[in-house]
């Protein structure tokens, strides 16, 4: 489902990916890109956990939408 992100707010999502640890380097790609004003951050949060934060840097509400994402993890 689509998620609204209000002005200057953040949405945070956590994903369980077995075998990931804090030495690994995750990256994220969005099918069709993101709406203007949204900036994604991705990082590991301990064993088996990837966190994605999407920040709205605009002064108006925007919608993340239902675009599929791809998470790639570079193993260290």
């Amino acid at each position: 489902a689509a998620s609204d992100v209000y002005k200057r707010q953040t949405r945070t999502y956590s994903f369980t990916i077995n075998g990931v640890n804090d030495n690994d380097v995750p990256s994220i790609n969005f099918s069709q890109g993101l709406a203007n004003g949204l900036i994604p951050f991705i990082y590991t949060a301990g064993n088996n956990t990837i966190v994605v934060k999407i920040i709205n840097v605009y002064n108006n509400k925007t919608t993340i939408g239902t675009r599929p994402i791809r998470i790639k993890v570079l193993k260290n």
Side-chain angles (χ1 to χ4, degrees), residues 3-53:
S3 295
D4 289 334
V5 184
Y6 293 90
K7 66 179 183 177
R8 308 288 177 171
Q9 296 296 309
T10 303
R11 284 266 182 186
T12 303
Y13 303 90
S14 182
F15 299 93
T16 299
I17 301 177
N18 291 331
V20 168
N21 63 56
D22 283 336
N23 294 319
D24 299 330
V25 181
S27 63
I28 190 167
N29 288 45
F30 289 81
S31 173
Q32 305 167 8
L34 275 175
N36 288 339
L38 295 180
I39 299 174
F41 292 90
I42 185 168
Y43 55 90
T44 58
N47 290 335
N48 305 320
T49 303
I50 295 281
V51 174
V52 175
K53 283 190 176 188

Side-chain angles (χ1 to χ4, degrees), residues 51-71:
V51 174
V52 175
K53 283 190 176 188
I54 298 178
I55 299 171
N56 180 1
V57 297
Y58 280 4
N59 283 323
N60 54 325
K61 179 181 82 170
T62 191
T63 300
I64 294 172
T66 57
R67 297 167 175 94
I69 65 170
R70 178 179 177 201
I71 296 174

